[in-house]
Amino acid sequence: MIRLLPLLMLGALIAGFSTSSSVVAADKEKTDVVKLEGTICCGKCELKQSAACAVTIVVTKDGKKTTYWLDAETSKKYH
């Protein structure tokens, strides 16, 4: 029984540190969500601005067009 007590205390200590670090990591991952409304098109086929196909979103705000390029993984998934 005496040998079991330090093992239980060590386990509780490890569990305490692991939960606190995951809370800190979750706080760092918070990002602002922005809703984009525009035209989804291919950067190569429709915009002719890329050598390879890539999904883009063209947003018009105050008469100015802005093109947002999705990353390669997302482009392959939705193209």
Side-chain angles (χ1 to χ4, degrees):
M1 182 71 177
I2 293 174
R3 292 182 183 176
L4 186 60
L5 186 60
L7 289 175
L8 290 174
M9 290 175 57
L10 181 63
L13 184 64
I14 291 172
F17 281 122
S18 65
T19 56
S20 63
S21 64
S22 64
V23 171
V24 171
D27 289 340
K28 290 181 181 179
E29 293 179 9
K30 289 183 180 178
T31 59
D32 294 332
V33 177
V34 178
K35 183 178 179 181
L36 298 174
E37 292 185 17
T39 305
I40 298 175
C41 55
C42 178
K44 176 185 176 187
C45 302
E46 295 178 54
L47 297 179
K48 310 231 185 299
Q49 294 180 356
S50 175
C53 290
V55 177
T56 62
I57 301 173
V58 179
V59 177
T60 304
K61 183 176 181 182
D62 298 329
K64 182 180 175 186
K65 288 187 177 182
T66 305
T67 304
Y68 295 93
W69 295 77
L70 276 62
D71 61 340
E73 182 180 323
T74 307
S75 289
K76 287 180 184 177
K77 184 176 179 181
Y78 292 108
H79 191 272

